[in-house]
Amino acid sequence: MSAKKVLDWLLEEEQPSVRSLALTQLVGKSEDAPEVRAAKELIPEKGWAAELMAQQNRGGWWVSDESLYRPKYLSTNWMLLILSDLGLTKTDPRIAKASELWIRRLATADGGFDPSGGKRGHLCTTGNMARALVRFGYADHPKVKSAFEWLAVNRDKKGGWSCFGSGRNLDSWEGMSAFAVYPRQKWTEDMKRTVELGAEFFLERELHRQGAHYEPWYRFHYPVHYYYDLLVGLDFMTSLGYGGDSRLKHALSHLEKKRRSDGRWNLDAVHPDVEGNIAEWFAKHPKQAPIPFEFERVGEPSKMITLKAMVVLERLNGSG
């Protein structure tokens, strides 16, 4: 399959979300180009986003109003993260209703977001929600602005974050992905420094060097939820403008190795795809293990993975 055929595959009309993203991020069409507007108009009516929206309760939530975070990965929090990836915005009143409920219930007193809406923000939730809400069109919302301030204040002084209380680590990537979509003109000096230090943290580890080799990082997933892998790292690092750094070489080499002979990339696994202590804990507590969610088949060509991989490579070509 030639590069043109791969692009044609992404531009197929059956998934207007993928088509609109491919048109803007790979073809170079403007947001107001007729074919882009036509694709966006179809997103709520056809394909994966339409399927998710059909499952939304009139109250704005999915699965249960009791918790917007559980069950993982089927409830409101997770559906909104996916829908933000798929190109919906608050211009759809259903997204506006869900987003405002999400903000109201998960906002914390210190400016962040937390699964239980407590007093203290939680990194994974704050980063993920900030990213999604910016994409939905809430960049100027006071709670979104405070979330970015929270991310800057709560970084490690040497760069990076800790999501699990074990010190800064590569798994704590959500803050970087949030800044990758936040308009640069809104960044304070502290935010600029936060991103610079965070980028150096990931670069000095070449996106993968942290303790023993961890195989799940080498598999590509969608949805990502709060998990890290090399494609996740390449996505936010190239979006933030670090594509020219030689320390991405290892991750980029792996990306190229993962490309199929027909030019596409497979969906390798769906989360929870974990090893070690986390896998052992899930095995002992199966009722508390997250429920896997997928659009595409594991082991087969993935439009979501292929799109992200090609966007990463397109950014690299543009930076050259």
Side-chain angles (χ1 to χ4, degrees):
M1 185 179 287
S2 67
K4 182 181 183 305
K5 288 185 177 179
V6 174
L7 181 58
D8 289 343
W9 178 63
L10 294 175
L11 292 173
E12 289 175 350
E13 295 185 356
E14 65 178 14
Q15 293 299 339
S17 292
V18 175
R19 175 175 169 79
S20 68
L21 291 168
L23 283 169
T24 55
Q25 298 182 21
L26 296 176
V27 180
K29 296 288 185 180
S30 65
E31 294 286 343
D32 60 357
E35 54 265 67
V36 175
R37 287 189 297 174
K40 287 186 173 183
E41 288 174 2
L42 285 175
I43 291 174
E45 302 175 10
K46 184 179 182 180
W48 296 322
E51 292 169 12
L52 293 187
M53 295 305 295
Q55 299 168 26
Q56 183 187 24
N57 182 276
R58 290 183 179 181
W61 44 265
W62 281 260
V63 181
S64 171
D65 183 38
E66 184 176 342
S67 172
L68 303 186
Y69 194 82
R70 298 180 186 277
K72 300 176 179 181
Y73 300 113
L74 303 180
S75 60
T76 305
N77 181 79
W78 314 103
M79 294 298 99
L80 287 173
L81 295 180
I82 294 168
L83 289 166
S84 75
D85 289 342
L86 296 179
L88 283 173
T89 71
K90 66 177 183 178
T91 57
D92 186 314
R94 298 170 297 173
I95 290 295
K97 188 170 189 176
S99 296
E100 287 154 19
L101 175 67
W102 200 28
I103 293 169
R104 188 166 64 250
R105 294 271 291 272
L106 272 63
T108 56
D110 66 354
F113 295 109
D114 175 75
S116 61
K119 294 183 179 180
R120 299 179 61 185
H122 183 271
L123 172 67
C124 304
T125 306
T126 301
N128 274 338
M129 282 187 66
R131 181 185 72 248
L133 288 165
V134 168
R135 286 176 168 171
F136 282 149
Y138 287 94
D140 292 321
H141 191 288
K143 293 296 185 182
V144 175
K145 294 171 72 175
S146 72
F148 281 95
E149 292 167 358
W150 186 97
L151 288 168
V153 168
N154 286 276
R155 65 168 171 83
D156 186 274
K157 63 181 180 180
K158 295 181 180 179
W161 292 269
S162 171
C163 191
F164 306 108
S166 58
R168 56 186 185 148
N169 55 77
L170 296 173
D171 278 314
S172 301
W173 57 274
E174 295 86 355
M176 296 295 283
S177 73
F179 281 109
V181 302
Y182 196 45
R184 300 297 193 274
Q185 66 269 25
K186 298 182 184 297
W187 290 16
T188 64
E189 289 301 316
D190 198 23
M191 290 175 189
K192 292 177 184 177
R193 185 62 176 157
T194 294
V195 172
E196 290 170 359
L197 289 172
E200 184 58 28
F201 173 79
F202 279 89
L203 288 169
E204 66 185 3
R205 287 156 181 77
E206 298 180 355
L207 304 193
H208 75 105
R209 291 192 293 106
Q210 180 180 295
H213 175 87
Y214 189 61
E215 190 59 29
W217 286 353
Y218 286 79
R219 294 191 279 263
F220 296 162
H221 313 77
Y222 192 80
V224 174
H225 305 308
Y226 45 62
Y227 296 93
Y228 177 75
D229 62 42
L230 287 178
L231 184 54
V232 168
L234 284 170
D235 184 29
F236 66 73
M237 289 299 288
T238 56
S239 180
L240 286 166
Y242 293 91
D245 196 290
S246 62
R247 290 169 290 181
L248 295 182
K249 182 178 180 181
H250 175 88
L252 289 168
S253 175
H254 182 67
L255 180 66
E256 291 289 2
K257 288 177 183 177
K258 296 286 287 184
R259 195 200 302 244
R260 295 162 46 104
S261 59
D262 64 8
R264 299 179 290 181
W265 281 262
N266 282 349
L267 174 68
D268 293 328
V270 294
H271 288 303
D273 176 25
V274 293
E275 293 181 357
N277 293 337
I278 299 176
E280 292 174 5
W281 193 91
F282 284 157
K284 293 178 181 179
H285 305 86
K287 292 184 179 180
Q288 297 187 50
I291 302 169
F293 179 88
E294 63 190 67
F295 288 128
E296 302 174 283
R297 292 179 181 274
V298 172
E300 294 185 4
S302 161
K303 288 192 172 184
M304 293 300 288
I305 302 298
T306 299
L307 173 67
K308 186 175 291 188
M310 290 183 68
V311 167
V312 165
L313 296 177
E314 181 66 22
R315 290 178 187 143
L316 293 176
N317 292 334
S319 66

